[in-house]
Each structure stands twice: as structure tokens, then as C-alpha cells.
């Protein structure tokens, strides 16, 4: 029997866990709430406890596992296995995550950035269909991404490769949390879409249910904007057109630069489905040249919330291939 893998998707609200076969099939999964009090010092011990508890529950031992892979927010040092600056976890200083988890569980541990890990998951068993060149974009509260090129994750000189959310799409645009203006994240994230909707509805003079909702002081979210657009609300359609224009523009630049076989759209905003996809593709077509048009498609993600744990598992399998001494 081949050894199993544990995948962990660590987030600011929950940590998702799964035990997977070496083919990436999820055999069991569970989640825990993330307690980021006391400067996040309880997070890693609670991950260790949760793993040990489940091993006992399923009568498994550390020797049954090839490794643990984890996607984490923040800046990752993959060699040292540390995380810094993960503000939603309250981790401001360097956290020796690998050292703690290996000591606590006796299982080899591998770490990467959460968006990169989700990209690996979609590339492996989701919309990427194991194709070697795939770009993944997550459209959530923020915009993250990961690039798989020639079968490998791209990390860049400082681990910042694939930060697709900070591609400038409007030099005079909104101020981003990163300190510069007009990042794609300021427009095409869930929060960005609401901001665009508020600004455009102020200038909109016609009859619109979305505008009424906003003027009435009702809270709206990105889903409300897409739902209204699907009902042909004229103001919502303008918002969606603007958002998908900038998404299409950024995807065009990605396609022209990397020529992946697929640019995969995931995250909460992608739940708008084919309605979103078709509009992004229509704009995207204007920004690419023929060779890219014929070979780079835009697709919707397929794994949903499982992308993180599946990608984390694939991190273990990839590392095991790179360094045979890691195979147990
Ligand atoms: Zn930015």
C-alpha cells in the first residue's frame, strides 16, 4: 500500500485538513477554527493536536504518511519552512512552522504560499488537467494567483511571483493595500467590485434596482452585483463590464507573457460562473495575439474549497520527486 499524504489549507478563519492517497484522492477531511489570539501562537500547536487526534481516530501512525503539505498566507521561506507577515493569522514575526510540525508529528513537512498551493491543486486535478503550463487566479476578498510553468511552481527572486492581484491595470486607479495604485485587486476582487459598484451607481442616472439598493443604504456584495447584472440591471451591467474588462486585460497580459494552456479563474467571485467567464473572454480576445488566441484558454476552477488541500498534498509528492531522500 502506498503511503498517504496530509494536505492542510491554513486560512484566517479555518484550517482545512485532508488525508489523501498518493493519487490525490481525498479519503477523509475535516476542519478546525483558526484561533489567532495571543499573536497566533496557538495555531501551530492546534494543527499538531488535530493531526495527532485524527491519526489516533483512524488508527494510523506517522509511518503511514509520505509527508504533510500546507498552504499558508504570508511570506514563506520554503527552505527553512517559516512564515512571516501573515496578518490574518496575527503572525508578525518569523514562525518556525516546519520545525514545530515535524517535531510534533514525526512526519516530513512542506510549505508554500496558499495561492501557489491552490494553483497546484487546480493544475493537478482540477481545470488544469495536469497540463504543465497553467496560471491560476483566485478572485476572493483579494486577488491572488499562482503560476505553474513547465510543471513547476514559479516563485521568483523573493517568492513574489504569481502576485497577479498587483498587476497594474489602471495607473490612475484606486489605492491598493500594497501602496500603489490601480492594481487588479482594487477592481476585480469581491471588495473591489463593491467599490466599483458604489462609484458607478453614484454617476448612474437611469433606473436601476442595484442603484436603488446602494442609495437606500443597503449593504451589497459582489454576488448582488452579478445577480443584478444577470437580471439585466443596467447599472450592474456597466459594473460587470468594467470589472471583466480589467480582468480580460490582465489575462491578456498573462497570456502574452507566459502562454499557459489555461488561465483558471477561482475564488468566490468565480461562482458567477459562465456569465463571468464569457464576458472576461470577450474582452480578453482583444488583448492577445494569434498564437496565444489559439492556445491559451480561460476556464473556471473545478475544485472549489478542496483546491488548497489537494495542492498541499501535491506539494509533498513534488518535493519527494525532487529529493528522493524525503521519500519514506
Ligand atoms: Zn496592489
Amino acid at each position: 500500500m502506498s503511503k498517504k499524504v496530509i494536505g492542510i489549507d491554513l486560512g484566517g478563519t479555518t484550517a482545512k485538513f485532508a488525508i489523501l492517497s498518493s493519487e490525490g484522492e481525498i479519503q477523509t477531511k475535516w476542519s478546525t477554527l483558526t484561533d489567532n489570539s495571543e499573536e497566533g501562537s496557538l495555531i501551530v500547536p492546534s494543527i499538531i493536536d488535530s493531526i495527532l487526534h485524527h491519526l489516533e481516530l483512524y488508527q494510523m501512525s506517522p509511518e503511514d504518511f509520505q509527508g504533510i503539505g500546507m498552504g499558508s498566507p504570508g511570506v514563506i521561506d520554503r527552505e527553512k519552512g517559516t512564515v512571516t507577515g501573515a496578518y490574518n493569522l496575527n503572525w508578525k514575526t518569523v514562525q518556525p512552522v516546519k520545525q514545530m510540525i515535524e517535531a510534533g508529528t514525526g512526519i516530513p513537512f512542506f510549505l508554500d504560499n496558499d495561492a501557489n498551493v491552490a494553483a497546484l491543486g487546480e493544475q493537478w486535478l482540477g481545470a488544469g488537467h495536469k497540463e504543465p503550463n497553467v496560471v491560476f487566479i483566485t478572485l476572493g476578498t483579494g486577488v491572488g494567483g499562482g503560476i505553474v510553468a513547465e510543471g513547476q511552481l514559479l516563485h521568483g527572486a523573493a517568492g513574489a511571483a504569481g502576485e497577479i492581484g498587483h498587476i497594474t491595470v489602471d495607473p490612475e486607479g484606486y489605492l491598493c493595500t500594497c501602496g500603489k495604485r490601480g492594481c487588479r485587486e482594487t477592481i476585480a476582487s469581491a471588495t473591489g467590485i463593491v467599490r466599483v459598484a458604489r462609484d458607478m451607481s453614484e454617476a448612474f442616472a437611469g433606473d436601476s434596482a442595484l442603484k436603488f439598493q446602494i442609495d437606500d443604504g443597503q449593504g451589497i456584495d459582489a454576488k448582488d452585483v452579478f445577480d443584478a447584472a444577470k437580471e439585466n440591471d443596467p447599472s450592474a451591467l456597466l459594473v460587470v463590464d468594467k470589472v471583466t474588462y480589467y480582468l480580460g486585460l490582465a489575462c491578456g497580459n498573462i497570456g502574452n507573457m507566459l502562454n499557459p494552456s489555461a488561465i483558471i479563474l477561482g475564488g468566490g467571485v468565480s461562482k458567477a460562473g459562465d456569465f463571468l467567464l464569457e464576458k472576461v473572454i470577450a474582452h480578453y480576445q482583444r488583448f492577445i495575439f494569434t498564437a496565444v488566441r489559439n492556445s491559451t484558454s480561460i476556464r473556471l476552477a473545478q475544485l472549489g474549497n478542496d483546491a488548497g488541500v489537494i495542492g498541499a498534498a501535491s506539494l509533498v509528492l513534488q518535493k519527494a520527486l525532487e529529493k528522493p531522500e524525503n521519500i519514506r
Side-chain angles (χ1 to χ4, degrees):
M1 191 184 73
S2 70
K3 295 197 173 192
K4 300 189 188 309
V5 181
I6 296 175
I8 308 173
D9 180 6
L10 176 59
T13 323
T14 60
K16 300 183 193 76
F17 297 77
I19 294 176
L20 304 95
S21 71
S22 54
E23 281 76 45
E25 188 192 332
I26 294 180
Q27 298 180 325
T28 179
K29 58 179 177 180
W30 70 95
S31 71
T32 58
L33 289 175
T34 303
D35 178 357
N36 64 6
S37 63
E38 297 178 37
E39 304 211 318
S41 63
L42 306 174
I43 294 173
V44 174
S46 103
I47 289 173
I48 295 168
D49 284 350
S50 185
I51 291 171
L52 295 178
H53 171 68
H54 281 79
L55 293 198
E56 197 181 310
L57 203 61
Y58 302 120
Q59 298 184 325
M60 299 176 91
S61 68
E63 288 70 38
D64 295 323
F65 293 92
Q66 210 175 119
I68 301 170
M70 185 168 92
S72 168
V75 179
I76 311 294
D77 183 325
R78 287 176 301 133
E79 285 305 311
K80 297 195 179 99
T82 59
V83 180
T84 21
Y87 296 101
N88 54 353
L89 302 177
N90 245 338
W91 284 353
K92 293 162 194 144
T93 55
V94 178
Q95 306 287 318
V97 179
K98 177 183 169 75
Q99 185 206 327
M100 289 172 77
I101 292 184
E102 286 187 344
T105 63
I107 303 173
F109 178 84
F110 306 95
L111 183 66
D112 210 320
N113 165 276
D114 49 2
N116 281 347
V117 163
L120 269 188
E122 281 292 340
Q123 183 264 342
W124 186 30
L125 295 181
H129 309 299
K130 297 191 173 76
E131 293 158 20
N133 297 289
V134 166
V135 174
F136 175 70
I137 303 171
T138 169
L139 307 168
T141 317
V143 173
I147 300 168
V148 179
E150 331 252 285
Q152 296 287 324
L153 269 177
L154 284 191
H155 291 95
E163 287 288 353
I164 288 160
H166 300 292
I167 291 180
T168 306
V169 289
D170 179 2
E172 313 302 324
Y174 299 113
L175 195 62
C176 180
T177 50
C178 73
K180 69 183 190 70
R181 280 193 183 277
C183 296
R184 165 146 98 169
E185 176 168 301
T186 64
I187 294 167
S189 63
T191 31
I193 291 168
V194 170
R195 177 161 42 189
V196 172
R198 292 192 164 278
D199 283 2
M200 288 184 82
S201 104
E202 212 170 86
F204 187 77
D207 193 21
S208 153
L210 183 70
K211 178 180 166 63
F212 176 82
Q213 238 179 316
I214 292 170
D215 291 349
D216 193 42
Q218 301 175 29
I220 58 154
D221 58 22
K223 183 176 183 299
D224 294 327
V225 175
F226 277 99
D227 286 349
K230 285 175 184 172
E231 299 291 324
N232 284 320
D233 182 280
S235 167
L237 280 170
L238 288 176
V239 176
V240 168
D241 190 58
K242 177 163 176 162
V243 168
T244 53
Y245 168 84
Y246 285 116
L247 261 172
L249 174 61
C251 288
N253 292 338
I254 292 166
N256 293 335
M257 181 165 60
L258 294 167
N259 187 212
S261 56
I263 300 173
I264 301 173
L265 306 180
V269 173
S270 73
K271 290 190 183 133
D274 289 332
F275 182 76
L276 167 81
L277 184 66
E278 282 161 20
K279 288 181 187 295
V280 173
I281 290 173
H283 289 297
Y284 166 73
Q285 295 292 343
R286 295 173 44 206
F287 300 118
I288 45 177
F289 67 99
T290 310
V292 173
R293 181 172 297 111
N294 294 338
S295 54
T296 299
S297 62
I298 303 187
R299 306 174 193 164
L300 293 171
Q302 292 176 348
L303 299 179
N305 285 335
D306 290 338
V309 291
I310 291 174
S314 114
L315 203 59
V316 175
L317 302 168
Q318 287 212 343
K319 290 291 175 185
L321 284 177
E322 277 172 31
K323 294 183 181 173
E325 71 269 22
N326 287 328
I327 300 177
R328 297 168 51 124

